[in-house]
Amino acid sequence: MDTNEDNESSSPNQMTFILNGQNTNEIPRDVTHLIVHSSVDWTGWPSLTYRFGAGFERLVAVTLQNGIKKIGKCAFTDCESLLEVSIPITVKVI
């Protein structure tokens, strides 16, 4: 699991998690910032909550890295605190 809790610009309540192609079975429930690596295959994932279950109440920001080409139109359903999603130019289908 890749986390970045010691980032100088992070607040004490911020938890960043990097989702990569090797850890797609786990996302901490208290994550606030999610970075999705281009090695993650989103095909077949209609939403984060579908893939990982409910419980992302603290998630406020998602960054999709260059190379991701498709995300589901309901990818962030039930992520009620989500304020920001960074979508790279490589995404062609939503």
Side-chain angles (χ1 to χ4, degrees):
M1 176 169 69
D2 295 328
T3 60
N4 184 8
E5 296 177 289
D6 298 324
N7 186 334
E8 294 175 16
S9 63
S10 298
S11 71
N13 296 324
Q14 178 177 323
M15 180 183 186
T16 300
F17 183 80
I18 300 171
L19 181 66
N20 60 47
Q22 297 181 357
N23 67 355
T24 57
N25 290 324
E26 56 183 83
I27 295 179
R29 295 295 175 216
D30 57 347
V31 66
T32 58
H33 294 73
L34 178 64
I35 299 169
V36 182
H37 190 270
S38 61
S39 63
V40 174
D41 180 6
W42 281 69
T43 306
W45 296 13
S47 69
L48 279 177
T49 53
Y50 175 84
R51 176 68 176 91
F52 298 102
F56 295 104
E57 291 87 13
R58 296 189 62 218
L59 185 63
V60 295
V62 174
T63 301
L64 305 175
Q65 292 189 330
N66 281 328
I68 294 174
K69 296 177 181 161
K70 178 181 178 181
I71 59 174
K73 67 180 178 179
C74 298
F76 307 109
T77 298
D78 297 328
C79 297
E80 296 177 6
S81 298
L82 191 60
L83 300 173
E84 179 181 335
V85 177
S86 298
I87 301 173
I89 197 165
T90 55
V91 171
K92 303 297 182 195
V93 178
I94 296 178

